[in-house]
Amino acid sequence: MIKVESVSKIYKTGDSEFKALDNVSVEIKKGEFVAILGPSGSGKSTLMHLIGGLDKPTKGTIEVDGQILNNLNDKQLATYRNQKIGFVFQFFNLLQGTNTLTNVTLPLVYSKKKFNRKTKAVEILKEVGLEHKLKNRPNQLSGGEQQRVSIARALVNDPDIILADEPTGNLDSKTGLQIFELLNQLNANGKTIILVTHDNSLAEKAKRIIRVKDGGIEV
């Protein structure tokens, strides 16, 4: 499903360069639950951003379901992200001035899929146990509830792949475990889950670990 081949990513600032990834190759199969594990600055989030179409590699190729992401323009990448990928972030990234329902329906505004927005959003919010919080704004929700809203937003377009970047990093351990179990259930239902984390104990709960260090894959 996902093939990263000989990928490097170099960031330039003035005359200086930083190589975030160095000749990385990895494959992830459809339906896997994979943890990308590494310390801060290792390149794990850069790898996730490249797979998610948020950035392009300096060298190498990224292929998802037979589609070479390098060849896509900005508009095509936006469509790819909207239809293929669901993003879950550490700090939730919810719109603070809008309620739960509006936050979850937002991706549907840009979707080509023919959903009734409210019906679809309510259906997904029921799956994450928040159908009773439709009118609440983020500041009226706990951290765990906000992350569930974030996951519902990631799911609302029915993507094949969920990219979760430190999804439990801003939560207490009990709530973090609940969020992990929700991701695990999504995987059991057929979603490909890529979990980015620095937490060994969390990564070990995934079905496979890809260890990243100093911009490369540890063997």
Side-chain angles (χ1 to χ4, degrees), residues 87-94 128 130 138 141-154 164-171 175-176 178-180 182-183:
F87 293 97
V88 181
F89 296 103
Q90 178 177 353
F91 295 105
F92 319 134
N93 289 5
L94 301 177
V128 301
L130 285 180
L141 301 172
S142 68
E145 287 171 337
Q146 289 185 66
Q147 193 59 292
R148 286 175 181 270
V149 174
S150 177
I151 291 172
R153 182 184 58 192
D165 192 0
E166 301 282 7
T168 65
N170 208 31
L171 304 171
T175 305
Q178 292 172 347
I179 294 300
F180 179 87
L182 178 55
L183 292 173

Side-chain angles (χ1 to χ4, degrees), residues 59 104 118 122 141 169 196:
K59 296 178 182 178
V104 174
K118 182 177 180 180
V122 171
L141 301 172
V196 175

Side-chain angles (χ1 to χ4, degrees), residues 157-201:
N157 265 333
D158 195 26
D160 296 321
I161 304 164
I162 302 294
L163 297 179
D165 192 0
E166 301 282 7
T168 65
N170 208 31
L171 304 171
D172 63 81
S173 57
K174 181 180 178 181
T175 305
L177 184 58
Q178 292 172 347
I179 294 300
F180 179 87
E181 289 303 324
L182 178 55
L183 292 173
N184 200 39
Q185 184 58 51
L186 293 172
N187 176 245
N189 291 338
K191 300 295 183 186
T192 301
I193 309 292
I194 302 174
L195 171 70
V196 175
T197 184
H198 67 276
D199 186 339
N200 272 285
S201 62

Side-chain angles (χ1 to χ4, degrees), residues 37-106:
L37 175 67
S40 178
S42 62
K44 61 185 186 298
S45 290
T46 300
L47 180 57
M48 188 206 81
H49 290 164
L50 294 175
I51 293 171
L54 294 171
D55 205 349
K56 289 187 176 183
T58 306
K59 296 178 182 178
T61 59
I62 298 178
E63 181 179 339
V64 180
D65 277 351
Q67 188 173 42
I68 305 295
L69 300 192
N70 311 53
N71 298 337
L72 304 183
N73 60 33
D74 289 346
K75 185 177 180 180
Q76 290 169 328
L77 281 173
T79 299
Y80 163 78
R81 291 191 298 268
N82 182 262
Q83 296 183 358
K84 181 71 70 173
I85 306 292
F87 293 97
V88 181
F89 296 103
Q90 178 177 353
F91 295 105
F92 319 134
N93 289 5
L94 301 177
L95 297 176
Q96 295 300 311
T98 60
N99 63 28
T100 295
L101 185 62
T102 302
N103 266 288
V104 174
T105 56
L106 186 62

